[in-house]
Amino acid sequence: MQNVKLFSSIHNLIEAYRTKLSTIDDAQFQMTPPIGGWSYSEVYSHIFDASYLSVQAMENCLDGKGKRHSTAFPVKVILFLGFLPPWKKIKVPKIMESRVKKITKMEAEEMIRRFSQKLEPNYKRMAMARKDIKVPHPRLGYMNARQWLRFIEIHLKHHIKQLKRIEKSF
């Protein structure tokens, strides 16, 4: 049952990203915000690239391609609470930062579609997920398939807040 609620939440977040994307002017989508940092374009590039890679990690767990490894206690706390620590700015792992680029709104929509298409069949396999098979996240360490699914939700929520900060700055 938890997986159903989790998948529903992720689906709602994807729709929130789609809705937001439709309201952003093409020029503003590319523009660096007055507060600095990433543009809308770069946030969409990051979140849907990272989400796609997270589903790949989840799929590897489901396929038994991970390791038997423990999940770090701080990560268990993040997954339990459902948010990244607000008191600490978490830096994007260098490997992920190098993948962020300015994209068009059409490319963002394609990234959303691609992620959704990969998520759906893997979500349907969650009932067979083994808790002991884990794949590492570049910053958080080892997580199993269910934990990757939860991380996707948390990460999507985190960047919705970033989009709101960007919007307020314009």
Side-chain angles (χ1 to χ4, degrees):
M1 187 60 177
Q2 278 186 337
N3 288 340
V4 172
K5 287 173 74 174
L6 194 49
F7 184 73
S8 176
S9 174
I10 291 169
H11 178 73
N12 290 339
L13 287 162
I14 291 168
E15 288 310 309
Y17 275 94
R18 277 197 174 113
T19 299
K20 181 67 184 161
L21 184 62
S22 70
T23 68
I24 305 168
D25 175 81
D26 288 342
Q28 196 175 51
F29 188 68
Q30 300 288 328
M31 202 180 303
T32 300
I35 58 172
W38 285 349
S39 64
Y40 284 120
S41 170
E42 291 161 314
V43 172
Y44 274 83
S45 168
H46 166 70
I47 192 60
F48 287 102
D49 182 44
S51 294
Y52 186 85
L53 293 173
S54 294
V55 174
Q56 282 184 316
M58 187 175 101
E59 182 176 53
N60 285 337
C61 292
L62 291 165
D63 291 342
K65 295 179 182 174
K67 293 181 179 180
R68 288 190 173 113
H69 208 285
S70 62
T71 301
F73 181 75
V75 176
K76 288 180 181 180
V77 171
I78 289 169
L79 297 172
F80 176 77
L81 295 175
F83 58 85
L84 298 171
W87 61 87
K88 181 180 178 187
K89 181 150 168 95
I90 297 175
K91 287 196 160 242
V92 175
K94 289 211 183 292
I95 190 144
M96 291 306 297
E97 188 173 22
S98 68
R99 296 173 63 99
V100 174
K101 58 185 176 185
K102 289 203 175 189
I103 58 174
T104 65
K105 286 177 64 175
M106 190 178 296
E107 289 169 318
E109 187 60 51
E110 176 58 22
M111 289 180 83
I112 293 169
R113 186 195 61 73
R114 187 172 163 239
F115 161 65
S116 296
Q117 280 186 328
K118 186 149 185 86
L119 178 64
E120 181 87 23
N122 285 294
Y123 162 73
K124 288 179 178 176
R125 298 172 56 207
M126 288 299 290
M128 62 177 261
R130 289 178 48 187
K131 291 181 180 182
D132 64 331
I133 300 297
K134 300 177 182 184
V135 172
H137 178 279
R139 177 89 60 221
L140 302 176
Y142 285 85
M143 294 187 288
N144 64 33
R146 169 79 171 64
Q147 291 168 328
W148 275 105
L149 188 65
R150 177 72 164 143
F151 171 75
I152 291 167
E153 179 198 32
I154 292 166
H155 195 225
L156 286 166
K157 283 181 182 178
H158 175 75
H159 285 288
I160 286 276
K161 292 176 188 172
Q162 186 178 11
L163 293 178
K164 289 176 181 174
R165 287 192 304 270
I166 292 170
E167 182 177 27
K168 286 180 183 176
S169 79
F170 279 112

